[in-house]
């Protein structure tokens, strides 16, 4: 499989860090039968099911049809139909949590551990963090090839990182 597009948007609600919302949007092209099997049962939430909301989940088949998920589902798992070679899977989920404690990590910039599978290159990746203006937050980045673009408005500060053509990776042993 290849990830055509992924975006993680994190919003911190109010300056005292009472709540955080995260929106994850991903578009994946299936390149093989194995890739279809890997995404055929999409598990979201990892035990935090009550905090997740499925916003969008569909498959674009190679012959042009748009399919919704199968009606068979369990908490945190959805089964997708017809993930054959050439199909494109699109999903978007949101989750919220709080309160956020002092010195607790609000956002870690990484290949999303919730959905990332090894050996998947990424065509375009975008990470956005929106915090209330004046909130006591420190941005710390490690080993990033591009600096954040920061935009300030009267209400908020937005940090955006964009990456293109990320190679597949093998987990360290």
């Amino acid at each position: 499989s290849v990830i055509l597009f992924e975006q993680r948007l994190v919003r911190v609600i109010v300056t005292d860090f009472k709540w955080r919302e995260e929106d994850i949007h991903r578009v994946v092209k299936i390149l093989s039968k194995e890739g279809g099997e890997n995404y055929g049962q999409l598990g979201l939430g990892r035990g935090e099911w009550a905090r997740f909301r499925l916003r969008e989940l569909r498959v674009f088949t190679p012959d042009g049809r748009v399919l919704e998920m199968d009606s068979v589902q369990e908490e945190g798992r959805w089964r997708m139909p017809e993930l054959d070679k050439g199909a494109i899977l699109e999903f978007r989920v949101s989750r919220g949590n709080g309160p956020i404690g002092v010195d607790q990590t609000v956002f870690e910039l990484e290949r999303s551990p919730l959905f990332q599978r090894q050996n998947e290159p990424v065509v375009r990746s975008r990470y956005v963090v929106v915090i209330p203006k004046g909130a006591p937050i420190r941005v710390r980045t490690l080993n990033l090839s591009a600096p954040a673009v920061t935009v300030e408005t009267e209400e908020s500060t937005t940090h955006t990182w964009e990456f293109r053509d990320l190679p597949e990776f093998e987990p360290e042993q």
Side-chain angles (χ1 to χ4, degrees):
S1 303
V2 61
I3 299 170
L4 300 176
F5 174 76
E6 69 177 354
Q7 176 173 282
R8 288 179 69 192
L9 169 63
V10 175
R11 288 180 295 275
V12 175
I13 311 302
V14 300
T15 56
D16 59 359
F17 294 100
K18 293 291 186 198
W19 193 255
R20 174 188 86 144
E21 293 179 345
E22 183 174 6
D23 187 80
I24 299 168
H25 182 197
R26 180 166 285 173
V27 179
V28 180
K29 183 166 186 176
I30 306 301
L31 300 178
S32 66
K33 180 180 179 180
E34 180 183 82
E37 290 170 356
N38 285 341
Y39 280 98
Q41 283 276 353
L42 191 61
L44 307 175
R46 290 197 180 169
E48 300 176 8
W49 167 248
R51 296 178 183 205
F52 270 77
R53 278 188 303 211
L54 180 65
R55 301 282 188 183
E56 188 170 29
L57 182 59
R58 58 190 173 173
V59 173
F60 299 89
T61 65
D63 62 7
R65 294 176 292 137
V66 179
L67 306 174
E68 303 297 325
M69 68 183 154
D70 282 349
S71 60
V72 177
Q73 54 188 344
E74 306 165 18
E75 283 192 355
R77 297 192 72 77
W78 289 273
R79 190 168 68 194
M80 295 306 303
E82 298 189 43
L83 285 178
D84 300 323
K85 181 178 178 180
I88 294 176
L89 168 66
E90 179 178 25
F91 64 89
R92 196 176 126 227
V93 295
S94 295
R95 68 178 173 172
N97 63 358
I100 301 167
V102 174
D103 293 330
Q104 181 178 341
T105 300
V106 173
F107 176 77
E108 292 180 320
L109 181 59
E110 61 191 34
R111 288 188 172 197
S112 176
L114 293 171
F115 311 110
Q116 185 72 35
R117 295 175 179 22
Q118 67 186 31
N119 300 321
E120 287 184 326
V122 179
V123 175
R124 183 171 178 227
S125 183
R126 187 169 191 246
Y127 296 88
V128 182
V129 179
V130 181
I131 57 173
K133 186 150 186 153
I137 190 170
R138 170 177 51 114
V139 176
R140 186 178 88 171
T141 58
L142 302 171
N143 302 321
L144 295 180
S145 59
V149 173
T150 302
V151 176
E152 294 193 23
T153 67
E154 289 184 25
E155 295 86 27
S156 65
T157 301
T158 302
H159 302 280
T160 304
W161 292 264
E162 293 223 21
F163 304 95
R164 293 188 181 275
D165 302 318
L166 298 172
E168 59 189 43
F169 75 97
E170 299 264 344
E172 294 182 11
Q173 302 292 333

